[in-house]
Amino acid sequence: MTVPAPDALNVPEGLALLLLRDASGRRAVELRTFSAVLGAGALAELAIRGEVELDDRGRVRATSLGSTDEDPVAAVRERIAATAAPQTDEWWVDRLGRGSLADAVLSGLVERGVLHERRPWAFLGLAGAPVHPASSTTEERALREAVRWSLAIDHQPTPRVAATIALLDVVGCVREAAGFLPDPGVDLRAGQWPAAALQAWLLSRDPVTGRALRSSIERGAVV
């Protein structure tokens, strides 16, 4: 038996909900990392849909398949397809982490009533950066339960849950999402090339912190 994650959430949306505090709407990781995780999540979602693939040189290519959805993930696929020279997965994580993808994902969740946006007052009465507390936790709770079940019981997550776990593992947030530390003998990143790309990006930004993260990543097809 596999506990299903909510169908309404794609990978970056699920990651956003798991990396935001429900009450305060603040991120569990710093902004640049949050944006990069969602960028890697978009790559994972596209790979699961069969809309991008990784070649033997670690470059991301759009396949002939493409959805008709008009969402931030579909927009990433179009960007990849329109790029003249194929770029590596790490390059795309960096590029997507610098763009507006995270804002678009959060805006979509706000429009659906899953989050709401507010700007806390900051110094001298000026509004601070927006935060995104939960309006509804139904989908988030369902995703957390799927993550917990996959880690504790069957170890056979669905592709989206597998990608979510792998990316959370790279930034050290699996325990917070699941509520416990998974068995250290379980490889949480096997076959997850977007997780490998995120790990490489972290290493390039902060070698000390990056090397402290587990590096048992296998570049290959999404499981």
Side-chain angles (χ1 to χ4, degrees), residues 112-138:
R112 281 163 41 193
V114 179
L115 301 175
H116 67 273
E117 181 176 291
R118 63 180 175 83
R119 288 183 176 270
W121 293 111
F123 185 63
L124 296 178
L126 300 175
V131 294
H132 296 86
S135 296
S136 169
T137 59
T138 301

Side-chain angles (χ1 to χ4, degrees), residues 198-209:
L198 180 62
Q199 172 80 19
W201 177 81
L202 282 167
L203 282 167
S204 68
R205 286 190 73 227
D206 186 346
V208 175
T209 301

Side-chain angles (χ1 to χ4, degrees), residues 6 17 46 51 86 147 165 171 197 203:
L17 295 183
L46 288 169
E51 296 181 16
V147 168
I165 291 171
V171 293
L203 282 167

